[in-house]
C-alpha cells in the first residue's frame, strides 16, 4: 500500500473579471497582462462568499470523487493565507459543515506552496497507518487582500478552491517522491503588508524560474524515473512564463502541462488542486500516468511531488 490521491474536486466563483475590466480601474492593458503573465481573466468571489464557502464546495466534490462521506474523514488540512478568521480555522468550519465529526482539523500556511505541504503532511499519516482518509484543501479569497489600486499585483490574482482526498492506493500507484523547501531570507520579496499583498515581482520571478524546474527534476529522479517518463506537469499557476521554464527544462510538450492560469489567474494554494481536478475531469491525467505537481510561493517556500495517478 502507498499514500495517494483517491479523489479531487474544485470550485471557482461564477464572476469573471477580464483584463479589459481591470483596464477600467488601474493603468494597465490586456496586451501587457497577457504577454507578461498569460492571464486573460480571473474569478472573483462575491462579498457573501468567503474562503470556507469555496473550500466546502471543492471538498464535497473531492469526497464524491473519492466515494467517501464526512464520517469517513480522519483529518482535515486546509492550506490558506486568506482564512475567514484566524480562528476558528477554515478546517474547523469544514469539519462542522461536512459532518466530519471524528476528524481532527488544522489550517496550514505556506503561501502558494501550501497545498504541496498539505499533501506531503497527509502522506505521513497514511504511511504510518495512523489515518485512512485525509481531506487536503487549498482555498483562497485573495481578492480580500488585493490592493485594487496597485497594478503590479491586482492583475495577477484570483479566488477559488481545490481539494483532494489522500488515502491508501495500490503500491504501483500513489506518491513516489517529494521535496519541500523554504528560504526565509527571501520573505521580503512577497508578503502581506498590513492589509494587502506586496511583491517584488522580478525577484520572485527569478526565484521561481530556478526553483520550479529544479524541484520538478529532483522528484522525478528521486522516484527513479527520467524526465522523458513524465506524462503530465501541474505547476503552480502563477505566470505562464515561469511555468514554461519548468516545462522546457523537463522537455515536456505544451499539451502535457496544465495552463488554467489563463482563466483563473494565480489562486495561490488553490491553483495546483484546481488544475489537477480539471486535468482528471477532462482526461488529461489518466490512470497510471506519471504526474509532477510543483509549487512555489511567499516565504519563500516550495514543494514538488512525483506520483502515479490512480488507486
Ligand atoms: N500593467 C502595465 N504595466 C505594468 C503592470 C501592469 N499591470 N504591472 C507592472 N507594470 C510595469 C512596471 O511598473 C514596470 O514599469 P517601469 O519599467 O516603468 O518601472 C514595467 O511594467 C515592467 O516591469 P517588469 O518588472 O520588467 O515586468 P516583468 O516582465 O518582470 O513582469 C511580473 C512583471 C510581475 C509579471 C513578473 O515579474 C512576475 O510574474 N513575477 C512573479 C510574480 C509571482 O508569480 N507572484 C506570485 C508568486 S506565488
Amino acid at each position: 500500500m502507498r499514500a495517494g490521491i483517491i479523489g479531487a474536486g474544485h470550485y471557482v466563483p461564477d464572476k469573471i473579471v477580464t483584463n479589459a475590466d481591470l483596464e477600467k480601474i488601474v493603468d494597465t492593458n490586456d496586451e501587457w497582462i497577457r504577454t507578461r503573465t498569460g492571464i486573460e481573466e480571473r474569478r472573483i468571489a462575491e462579498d457573501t462568499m468567503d474562503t470556507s464557502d469555496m473550500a466546502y464546495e471543492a471538498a464535497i466534490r473531492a469526497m464524491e470523487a473519492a466515494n467517501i462521506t464526512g464520517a469517513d474523514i480522519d483529518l482535515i488540512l486546509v492550506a490558506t493565507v486568506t482564512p475567514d478568521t484566524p480562528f476558528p480555522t477554515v478546517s474547523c468550519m469544514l469539519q462542522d459543515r461536512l459532518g466530519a465529526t471524528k476528524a481532527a482539523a488544522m489550517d496550514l500556511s505556506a503561501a502558494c506552496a501550501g497545498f504541496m505541504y498539505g499533501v506531503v503532511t497527509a502522506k505521513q499519516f497514511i504511511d504510518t497507518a495512523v489515518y485512512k482518509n485525509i481531506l487536503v484543501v487549498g482555498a483562497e479569497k485573495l481578492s480580500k487582500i488585493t490592493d485594487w489600486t496597485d497594478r503590479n499585483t491586482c492583475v495577477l490574482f484570483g479566488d477559488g478552491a481545490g481539494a483532494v482526498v489522500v488515502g491508501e492506493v495500490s503500491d504501483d500507484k500513489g506518491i513516489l517522491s517529494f521535496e519541500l523547501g523554504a528560504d526565509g531570507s527571501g520573505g521580503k520579496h512577497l508578503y502581506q503588508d498590513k492589509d494587502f499583498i506586496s511583491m517584488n515581482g522580478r525577484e520572485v520571478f527569478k526565484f521561481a524560474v530556478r526553483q520550479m524546474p529544479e524541484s520538478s527534476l529532483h522528484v522525478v529522479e528521486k522516484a527513479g524515473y527520467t524526465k522523458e517518463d513524465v506524462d503530465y506537469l501541474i505547476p503552480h499557476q502563477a505566470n505562464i512564463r515561469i511555468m514554461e521554464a519548468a516545462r522546457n527544462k523537463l522537455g515536456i510538450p505544451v499539451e502535457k502541462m496544465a495552463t488554467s492560469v489563463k482563466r483563473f489567474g494565480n489562486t495561490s494554494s488553490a491553483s495546483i488542486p484546481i488544475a489537477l481536478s480539471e486535468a482528471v475531469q477532462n482526461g488529461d491525467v489518466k490512470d497510471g500516468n506519471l504526474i509532477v505537481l510543483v509549487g512555489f510561493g511567499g516565504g519563500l517556500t516550495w514543494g514538488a511531488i512525483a506520483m502515479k495517478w490512480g488507486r
Side-chain angles (χ1 to χ4, degrees):
M1 285 295 195
R2 214 188 232 132
I5 291 175
I6 61 171
H10 71 281
Y11 172 83
V12 290
D14 294 333
K15 186 178 163 192
I16 294 172
V17 174
T18 64
N19 292 346
D21 294 329
L22 293 177
E23 285 177 10
K24 293 177 201 141
I25 59 169
V26 285
D27 179 17
T28 189
N29 58 78
D30 177 54
E31 219 274 325
W32 192 96
I33 302 172
R34 272 175 203 256
T35 53
R36 301 294 175 119
T37 71
I39 299 166
E40 295 168 12
E41 57 190 44
R42 68 288 291 142
R43 302 298 178 99
I44 299 296
E46 301 293 344
D47 291 345
T48 50
M49 173 168 275
D50 212 336
T51 299
S52 66
D53 301 305
M54 292 184 277
Y56 173 76
E57 296 296 335
I60 52 176
R61 290 171 171 113
M63 287 159 57
E64 201 177 292
N67 200 17
I68 64 160
T69 67
D72 301 317
I73 302 173
D74 300 300
L75 173 66
I76 301 174
L77 298 172
V78 176
T80 185
V81 292
T82 51
D84 303 31
T85 53
F87 61 92
T89 56
V90 174
S91 49
C92 280
M93 293 174 185
L94 279 189
Q95 196 252 15
D96 182 38
R97 284 179 73 175
L98 295 171
T101 47
K102 74 168 185 201
M106 69 170 168
D107 286 6
L108 63 92
S109 172
C112 301
F115 179 76
M116 306 306 294
Y117 272 74
V119 172
V120 171
T121 303
K123 170 180 153 51
Q124 311 310 314
F125 288 106
I126 302 296
D127 286 348
T128 49
V130 173
Y131 292 140
K132 231 172 140 47
N133 295 301
I134 302 176
L135 178 67
V136 183
V137 184
E140 304 285 4
K141 188 178 181 184
L142 292 173
S143 57
K144 67 185 178 185
I145 59 163
T146 298
D147 179 354
W148 293 101
T149 65
D150 175 15
R151 69 174 184 175
N152 289 302
T153 54
C154 77
V155 301
L156 302 177
F157 301 106
D159 300 335
V164 298
V165 179
V166 177
E168 285 179 353
V169 299
S170 56
D171 55 15
D172 58 339
K173 306 271 174 67
I175 298 167
L176 306 174
S177 63
F178 71 86
E179 171 174 295
L180 295 178
D183 174 10
S185 72
K188 57 185 176 287
H189 301 317
L190 180 55
Y191 56 96
Q192 186 174 337
D193 181 15
K194 215 160 161 262
D195 296 328
F196 299 126
I197 300 166
S198 188
M199 185 181 76
N200 180 339
R202 254 177 229 178
E203 286 302 322
V204 177
F205 191 91
K206 278 197 280 183
F207 153 70
V209 293
R210 187 184 69 244
Q211 197 57 53
M212 291 252 280
E214 227 174 75
S215 296
S216 305
L217 268 183
H218 285 167
V219 291
V220 171
E221 282 161 12
K222 266 195 211 172
Y225 287 92
T226 64
K227 56 194 169 86
E228 288 74 27
D229 298 317
V230 177
D231 294 302
Y232 204 71
L233 175 65
I234 304 182
H236 171 43
Q237 307 284 305
N239 178 320
I240 195 82
R241 288 152 59 210
I242 298 170
M243 293 155 54
E244 284 292 309
R247 186 177 74 74
N248 289 328
K249 182 88 175 199
L250 292 175
I252 289 174
V254 69
E255 66 276 9
K256 289 190 172 183
M257 178 173 79
T259 54
S260 56
V261 68
K262 284 181 203 165
R263 290 171 290 123
F264 303 142
N266 179 349
T267 56
S268 190
S269 66
S271 95
I272 293 173
I274 291 174
L276 172 65
S277 167
E278 279 200 322
V280 172
Q281 257 175 26
N282 62 27
D284 286 333
V285 166
K286 297 174 204 64
D287 201 58
N289 277 175
L290 177 65
I291 64 173
V292 172
L293 314 178
V294 58
F296 68 94
L300 301 165
T301 54
W302 62 90
I305 288 173
M307 66 179 297
K308 283 260 180 175
W309 185 253
R311 299 181 74 159

